[in-house]
Amino acid sequence: MLNSDELDKKLDLLIEGESLNDEDSALSTAKAIVELPLPDIESSRRDKIKGMFLSEAAKNQPTPIKAVRSWRILSGRRIAAVGLAIFMSSGATVYAASGSMPDSALYPIKRATEDAALFIAPGSFKSSVKKKLAQERKKEHLYMSSKKGTKKTKTKNTTQEPSRDGLNAGENSAVPEMSKKKIERQNQMKEPNAKNNSAKTDNNKSRKQGRRPAKGPGTSSAPKNHPISP
Amino acid sequence: MKKDQELQEIIKRAQKGDVEALSEIYEHFFDRIYKYILIRVRSKETAEDLAGQTFLKMLERLADFKWRGAGFRSWLFRIAHNLVIDWFREKKVACFEIGDFKMFGSAEDSALANQTLNEVLGAFASLNENQLHVILLRLIGGLSCRETAQTLTLSEANVRTLQHRALAIVRKELMVRVNA
């Protein structure tokens, strides 16, 4: 009689198809079970099940694998391109931002880069980085204060300009041609009166001083043989 | 029976979606899976249905399969074993109980084969559940002691003891039947 370990080894041989000439009762029983006349499945049924299995396999498995592969290739290229673009643009942006001032849109990028530089810098270099940053802040301060100054003067100029324009409307090149002509006409109309007025004031002055009033253009028009005239 | 290394390569190909490799797996395992299920359920139609379901389940889970310990054979038989247990659960019958046996339906089938089969399967009635599972997986399914242990989540020593006792019981039962 075989023990359980010996029987196990013999059973392995039996399963592999070896013919055993052992007269052990357990082994001969096992042989009867292995050779049990079990009915085989009908070949048509077997093929039908196989067909269903393989069609299911073809339906589900190869397509996703192909799709994943093509997606991977595409994405690899795309990711590389996008990464390169981001890298280049970020480099360019950071470079552009390095000279920006607080009024610039790129200024936050500059500050972020500075913070990163300060964070990355090793302990011994931190102080020099801080010094640089302080200089940078100073520069920015000067720039901003100078800009404020120019702004103030600019605002003053802008307040004065309209009055000047109003006075010398005729000189302003921005004044349209028609309005220029109008102004010229008005000036022409005003000019004789203005001259008369000035002559009147001169006569009054000379009267006060006891002198004869100077002959003006208005006086010249008086007839010489007038009874009153000397 | 294919060696482990050969089988491993086929499985790898099948996991990549190689239909030819899947066909090889089917050809290699179908008959044994079918016969294992047939003895358990004792109905050709049900055995065909459950064997087909076993391979479809295998297809679903093949991507997740990793070769560990006893490998693919025990993994596949475990699928079949669980499907049979589920089927018995639905029928509300204990999976080691023997009911009506209708394997050879047609008149053409050999009377002798029917008789032998009925005697052996009748002798199985005296086995407990674990003994029956061990005998069927080991001698009908063709699994090794290690693979059987892995399928039934038992120790190898336990499987050896169970198969030894089970064969002794079947032998005794057959002797009784022959003498009767």
Side-chain angles (χ1 to χ4, degrees):
Chain A
M1 180 97 179
L2 296 168
N3 66 30
S4 58
D5 289 342
E6 286 169 343
L7 179 68
D8 189 55
K9 281 173 190 166
K10 294 270 182 186
L11 287 179
D12 281 339
L13 294 173
L14 184 71
I15 290 161
E16 279 169 21
E18 281 191 32
S19 56
L20 299 168
N21 298 318
D22 209 307
E23 288 180 0
D24 183 75
S25 57
L27 199 61
S28 59
T29 311
K31 206 175 172 183
I33 295 168
V34 169
E35 291 168 359
L36 209 58
L38 285 165
D40 287 321
I41 186 170
E42 286 168 30
S43 59
S44 60
R45 289 288 301 158
R46 194 179 189 281
D47 292 344
K48 197 180 172 186
I49 295 168
K50 188 181 176 181
M52 278 164 61
F53 166 66
L54 293 180
S55 68
E56 195 69 25
K59 208 192 294 175
N60 294 336
Q61 290 208 327
T63 24
I65 289 165
K66 275 182 186 173
V68 165
R69 273 184 188 166
S70 61
W71 179 83
R72 273 184 190 157
I73 292 161
L74 281 174
S75 76
R77 283 175 188 168
R78 275 182 190 167
I79 286 166
V82 169
L84 192 67
I86 289 168
F87 175 75
M88 286 176 77
S89 63
S90 63
T93 315
V94 167
Y95 178 73
S98 64
S100 64
M101 289 292 157
D103 58 343
S104 166
L106 293 173
Y107 187 68
I109 295 167
K110 182 190 175 182
R111 290 302 300 268
T113 320
E114 284 173 357
D115 288 344
L118 193 63
F119 182 74
I120 291 163
S124 54
F125 284 97
K126 270 203 171 142
S127 58
S128 65
V129 174
K130 276 181 185 173
K131 201 178 168 186
K132 261 190 178 179
L133 295 183
Q135 283 171 351
E136 199 66 28
R137 290 296 88 76
K138 196 180 169 186
K139 239 193 243 176
E140 286 164 13
H141 177 73
L142 287 171
Y143 169 81
M144 288 309 288
S145 55
S146 67
K147 207 178 177 191
K148 270 183 187 174
T150 49
K151 261 190 182 178
K152 273 179 188 174
T153 49
K154 266 188 183 177
T155 46
K156 273 180 187 173
N157 289 342
T158 47
T159 46
Q160 283 167 356
E161 269 170 10
S163 59
R164 192 184 61 150
D165 289 343
L167 284 169
N168 309 317
E171 290 170 10
N172 197 346
S173 60
V175 180
E177 199 66 26
M178 287 295 286
S179 56
K180 264 184 185 179
K181 281 176 183 174
K182 264 187 180 179
I183 291 159
E184 273 172 16
R185 264 182 223 157
Q186 280 173 359
N187 286 343
Q188 279 171 2
M189 293 285 282
K190 279 174 189 173
E191 236 170 73
N193 295 335
K195 278 176 184 173
N196 290 340
N197 287 340
S198 63
K200 273 179 187 175
T201 47
D202 286 345
N203 288 341
N204 287 338
K205 275 180 186 175
S206 55
R207 266 175 208 165
K208 277 176 186 174
Q209 286 168 1
R211 284 191 287 147
R212 273 183 69 193
K215 284 180 182 178
T219 51
S220 62
S221 61
K224 282 180 181 176
N225 50 356
H226 198 273
I228 302 165
S229 62
Chain B
M1 175 108 42
K2 284 186 191 298
K3 284 182 181 175
D4 273 4
Q5 206 177 344
E6 197 185 343
L7 192 59
Q8 253 176 329
E9 281 169 17
I10 296 170
I11 303 300
K12 273 183 190 172
R13 275 168 45 218
Q15 282 179 320
K16 286 174 186 170
D18 187 342
V19 178
E20 210 172 291
L22 287 165
S23 173
E24 275 185 62
I25 292 170
Y26 181 88
E27 289 297 336
H28 188 67
F29 287 104
F30 184 84
D31 288 339
R32 270 184 284 163
I33 292 276
Y34 170 75
K35 283 179 181 177
Y36 167 74
I37 296 171
L38 184 64
I39 289 191
R40 296 280 301 274
V41 299
R42 315 272 167 100
S43 156
K44 281 172 107 176
E45 289 77 24
T46 311
E48 283 170 13
D49 184 36
L50 291 179
Q53 278 186 45
T54 303
F55 282 89
L56 291 177
K57 283 244 175 195
M58 180 208 79
L59 199 62
E60 276 175 26
R61 298 173 190 178
L62 192 62
D64 301 326
F65 171 74
K66 281 171 189 169
W67 199 285
R68 281 192 208 119
F72 184 75
R73 274 185 284 268
S74 60
W75 181 75
L76 186 62
F77 270 91
R78 203 189 174 99
I79 294 173
H81 176 77
N82 289 338
L83 280 170
V84 171
I85 288 175
D86 289 346
W87 183 80
F88 274 108
R89 212 171 276 159
E90 274 177 30
K91 283 248 167 191
K92 294 182 180 174
V93 179
C95 53
F96 56 94
E97 277 178 16
I98 290 181
D100 293 333
F101 188 39
K102 294 171 188 168
M103 271 206 246
F104 292 100
S106 67
E108 293 165 15
D109 296 326
S110 162
L112 186 66
N114 246 334
Q115 195 189 338
T116 313
L117 194 59
N118 276 313
E119 278 173 1
V120 172
L121 293 177
F124 283 169
S126 45
L127 299 175
N128 69 29
E129 196 173 345
N130 275 346
Q131 286 168 344
L132 179 68
H133 290 158
V134 166
I135 288 295
L136 294 183
L137 287 170
R138 193 91 171 86
L139 302 176
I140 305 293
L143 300 187
S144 68
C145 180
R146 195 182 177 196
E147 288 166 341
T148 307
Q150 194 123 19
T151 308
L152 299 172
T153 56
L154 297 169
S155 70
E156 284 184 54
N158 204 350
V159 168
R160 274 187 221 112
T161 313
L162 282 167
Q163 74 188 4
H164 196 261
R165 279 187 197 160
L167 285 173
I169 291 167
V170 172
R171 169 85 180 168
K172 197 179 161 188
E173 278 294 314
L174 283 173
M175 291 296 280
V176 170
R177 282 165 190 266
V178 168
N179 289 335

